[in-house]
Amino acid sequence: MRQVVIYPGQITVETADIPAPGPDEALIRTLVAGVCGSDLHAAHGRHPFIALPYRPGHEVVGIVETTGSAGAGTGPGQRVTVAPYLPCWTCKMCASGRENLCENLGFFGCGYVQGGMAEHFTLPADRLFPVPDALDDHAAALIEPLATPVHAVRLAGDVAGRSVAVLGAGTIGLLTLAVLRAHGAGKVISTDPNPLKRDRAIALGADAAIDARTPDVAGQVRKELGGSADVVFDCVAIQSSIDQAIAMADKGGTVVVVGVPAQAVTVPLPIVQDHQIRIQGSATYLPEDFRESAELLRTGAVKTADFVTATRPLAQVAEAFDLASSGNHVKVLVTVDER
């Protein structure tokens, strides 16, 4: 089979043996795989938890070909997407229903021995999520990335009617905006340095979009909101964005960190304490987030055409990464099975 392997400065398509499923696993034939922001960070050596070389691809849609000797909840011919986090199921977090915070967590396609940008892969059968028949392959490829902001919004609490800022209008920022609209958020302001991304945010329902490089961007957002933000979703997670987020949420607001920080940042702890600002990390998702994500796509609350803006075949995976890095696209998909 063909599989993608990323080395420092090089994205390759290599030949490998088709893996055999273990007793509790399934063998999946890949249909499409999305290029995630974390894939881009890892390819450029900027992901804090992924070392090169690695095998990318965790936003995956495929078809079950065979299952191991123990059988599986999904049988051959079933179209599935992947819940790529790999819990141990025995630690304190797993036992309390927070397997996304597993103390021994692995992650398919992110430093794991296999990735979904391959013609075949194996995974434990409990990591497979059946794709509703109403969703085509492109829509199904959005279930996993959409589950990330679904989880983040759930952690923020009831956002109905509340004033919100979303920092970053890349894929996750725009998907966060879509989830907020589906949950009835009040005024929502987006920020991003890229004018094309700001235009997309407006088209997808932001009440205003502010240039993140503008002096006093926090003041401009507060002016648009008519006061402080009840909730700020930081989908960038760098020093400047966390500074802006805290200034927007001051006083009494919540900052949800959705983006993956490439390195440590500092926070004004006296302000956080004295002004009662809540800083909430958001890590991946849980099964209920996958279910809501699929439902948002099924009902059209999130429209595939708004987000899938380019596709490339597996042989052109390097170009797919370039397109995803360009800032001109939202979600780029790699088509693996071209039958």
Side-chain angles (χ1 to χ4, degrees):
M1 70 170 189
R2 295 176 299 162
Q3 67 173 7
V4 176
V5 183
I6 297 181
Y7 300 91
Q10 186 179 21
I11 300 174
T12 66
V13 180
E14 301 181 355
T15 300
D17 292 334
I18 296 175
D24 297 311
E25 294 184 330
L27 173 68
I28 311 300
R29 172 168 55 86
T30 309
L31 299 174
V32 297
V35 181
C36 177
S38 61
D39 291 320
L40 302 177
H41 293 158
H44 291 97
R46 297 198 302 264
H47 196 289
F49 307 122
I50 302 175
L52 297 176
Y54 88 107
R55 293 163 179 80
H58 60 274
E59 302 175 356
V60 190
V61 180
I63 295 176
V64 176
E65 289 211 329
T66 61
T67 59
S69 58
T74 54
Q78 172 70 58
R79 194 166 53 115
V80 295
T81 188
V82 166
Y85 61 103
L86 304 171
C88 71
W89 299 114
T90 60
C91 71
K92 176 181 177 180
M93 292 295 103
C94 288
S96 63
R98 293 179 287 175
E99 61 265 24
N100 63 316
L101 303 179
C102 171
E103 294 169 0
N104 307 291
L105 190 68
F107 211 93
F108 174 73
C110 294
Y112 186 64
V113 67
Q114 296 185 62
M117 289 186 190
E119 290 179 314
H120 293 84
F121 62 88
T122 58
L123 265 185
D126 63 12
R127 298 294 79 208
L128 304 179
F129 182 87
V131 172
D133 291 340
L135 301 183
D136 65 19
D137 293 344
H138 288 188
L142 293 175
I143 293 175
E144 189 275 345
L146 180 58
T148 294
V150 166
H151 185 72
V153 171
R154 185 160 60 81
L155 288 175
D158 186 3
V159 297
R162 304 186 81 192
S163 59
V164 182
V166 179
L167 310 190
T171 305
I172 294 300
L174 293 175
L175 287 171
T176 300
L177 173 60
V179 175
L180 288 166
R181 284 299 176 222
H183 281 246
K187 189 169 280 190
V188 181
I189 310 301
S190 177
T191 72
D192 199 279
N194 185 320
L196 179 60
K197 292 183 178 182
R198 295 198 300 272
D199 289 344
R200 282 204 181 102
I202 294 292
L204 292 176
D207 292 285
I210 307 297
D211 188 339
R213 298 166 300 188
T214 300
D216 192 30
V217 62
Q220 290 196 39
V221 169
R222 290 169 70 99
K223 181 179 178 181
E224 291 285 350
L225 291 175
S228 63
D230 296 316
V231 187
V232 182
F233 293 89
D234 185 355
C235 302
V236 183
I238 59 176
Q239 186 65 60
S240 60
S241 66
I242 200 68
D243 290 343
Q244 293 166 3
I246 290 172
M248 293 171 195
D250 192 18
K251 296 182 173 181
T254 293
V255 174
V256 183
V257 182
V258 189
V260 177
Q263 58 188 15
V265 303
T266 62
V267 298
L269 202 56
I271 297 295
V272 170
Q273 179 271 320
D274 191 60
H275 295 186
Q276 200 167 300
I277 298 169
R278 172 189 170 204
I279 299 179
Q280 171 70 60
S282 180
T284 64
Y285 25 63
L286 287 167
E288 55 263 43
D289 304 311
F290 259 62
R291 290 191 290 270
E292 180 178 335
S293 176
E295 184 65 9
L296 290 172
L297 289 159
R298 187 193 68 80
T299 61
V302 177
K303 296 179 173 60
T304 308
D306 290 334
F307 293 93
V308 176
T309 54
T311 64
R312 290 294 184 274
L314 186 66
Q316 298 175 22
V317 65
E319 182 180 351
F321 270 67
D322 287 342
L323 291 174
S325 299
S326 70
N328 298 323
H329 291 276
V330 183
K331 176 58 62 181
V332 178
L333 300 182
V334 176
T335 55
V336 179
D337 189 317
E338 298 162 37
R339 284 179 276 181

